Amino acid sequence: MSELAKLFDETVAATDLSDKQKAVLKASLQLFAAKGFDNTSTADIAAAAHVSEGTVYKHFKTKDQLLAAVMRPFVRQVVPRVAGDFITRIQGQAAPDFGTFLHYVIKDRLQFAQENRAEAKIFLGELMHDQAMLDMLLKDFQQVAQGPLTAIFQHYQATGEVVEWPVSEVFRTFLGVMAGHAVPLILMPSNKFDLERAADEATAVLVQGLRPA
């Protein structure tokens, strides 16, 4: 089981939903990840959750509502938890220079995306069609990351390796380059993506783009 799936199951298990609702949500994520949303029927979900199809419709009127119910824990709990855990971890990493720090972060997160590709693909697909959800996610992520990442970026500004932009602008630039490499990884077959090369390229772009004039 992928880390995202495990965290999703833990999050759903901690809710006040009925056991049948929890089973339906867990089965939905598993099937959407394995078969895709369009190729998964409510009958498939009911069978995997060991409930009747009527039970699925009782709690979730349409398959779109069911997908929305799956996405809510991702946006509100799972993704912020993943981000928070990673930021806590990188605070303890001693990197000799900005490029080394970037390469570690980028490679680690690209590898995470690769290992959780099936679930990330569902998540990404919804974000591309729901601006409100994307805005909420970015707001939550900025709140989680603001303090720790601000200190890290300011450290490299003090060493003269990062341009003296507001840290929020440095952060947006970093996220933009990361997204530009993570999205193809998630959407294309994994055997066609060179993770090491992508990490090298993204690092080079950011080191050059954020270097003081």
Side-chain angles (χ1 to χ4, degrees):
M1 178 183 291
S2 72
E3 184 176 347
L4 283 180
K6 181 181 178 182
L7 291 175
F8 178 83
D9 283 1
E10 291 176 359
T11 300
V12 170
T15 67
D16 294 329
L17 296 173
S18 69
D19 289 343
K20 289 184 178 180
Q21 287 174 297
K22 292 176 182 178
V24 168
L25 289 178
K26 291 177 182 180
S28 297
L29 178 65
Q30 292 170 2
L31 290 171
F32 292 159
K35 301 174 60 175
F37 176 75
D38 292 335
N39 294 324
T40 300
S41 68
T42 51
D44 295 331
I45 294 168
H50 304 292
V51 301
S52 69
E53 194 170 2
T55 296
V56 176
Y57 282 117
K58 176 183 177 181
H59 298 291
F60 310 98
K61 303 304 181 185
T62 66
K63 200 169 69 166
D64 285 333
Q65 286 187 13
L66 183 50
L67 178 59
V70 169
M71 290 298 297
R72 278 193 293 272
F74 263 104
V75 175
R76 295 175 181 173
Q77 285 96 23
V78 175
V79 172
R81 179 176 170 184
V82 169
D85 289 348
F86 179 68
I87 289 168
T88 298
R89 178 154 56 89
I90 65 174
Q91 284 182 275
Q93 298 294 324
D97 55 66
F98 186 51
T100 302
F101 167 76
L102 282 176
H103 193 274
Y104 170 79
V105 171
I106 292 168
K107 184 177 178 181
D108 184 279
R109 292 298 84 187
L110 289 178
Q111 187 170 346
F112 179 87
Q114 190 173 58
E115 292 170 351
N116 295 268
R117 181 173 170 271
E119 292 79 13
K121 190 173 182 178
I122 302 168
F123 184 67
L124 178 62
E126 280 304 290
L127 287 181
M128 292 171 67
H129 296 94
D130 192 328
Q131 186 62 45
M133 184 183 295
L134 177 60
D135 290 343
M136 182 172 65
L137 178 65
L138 290 175
K139 180 180 179 181
D140 289 345
F141 184 69
Q142 287 175 342
Q143 289 176 344
V144 170
Q146 185 174 9
L149 287 185
T150 294
I152 291 172
F153 285 133
Q154 285 177 338
H155 165 74
Y156 290 114
Q157 286 178 327
T159 64
E161 298 172 82
V162 175
V163 64
E164 291 287 341
W165 291 345
V167 171
S168 60
E169 185 64 27
V170 176
F171 186 54
R172 279 195 295 270
T173 303
F174 169 76
L175 285 182
V177 174
M178 275 292 298
H181 287 78
V183 170
L185 183 156
I186 293 168
L187 295 180
M188 70 172 54
S190 57
N191 62 354
K192 295 184 180 298
F193 189 89
D194 188 333
L195 190 148
E196 190 68 43
R197 178 179 177 182
D200 290 344
E201 290 176 350
T203 299
V205 168
L206 283 168
V207 168
Q208 180 65 33
L210 294 174
R211 180 178 295 157

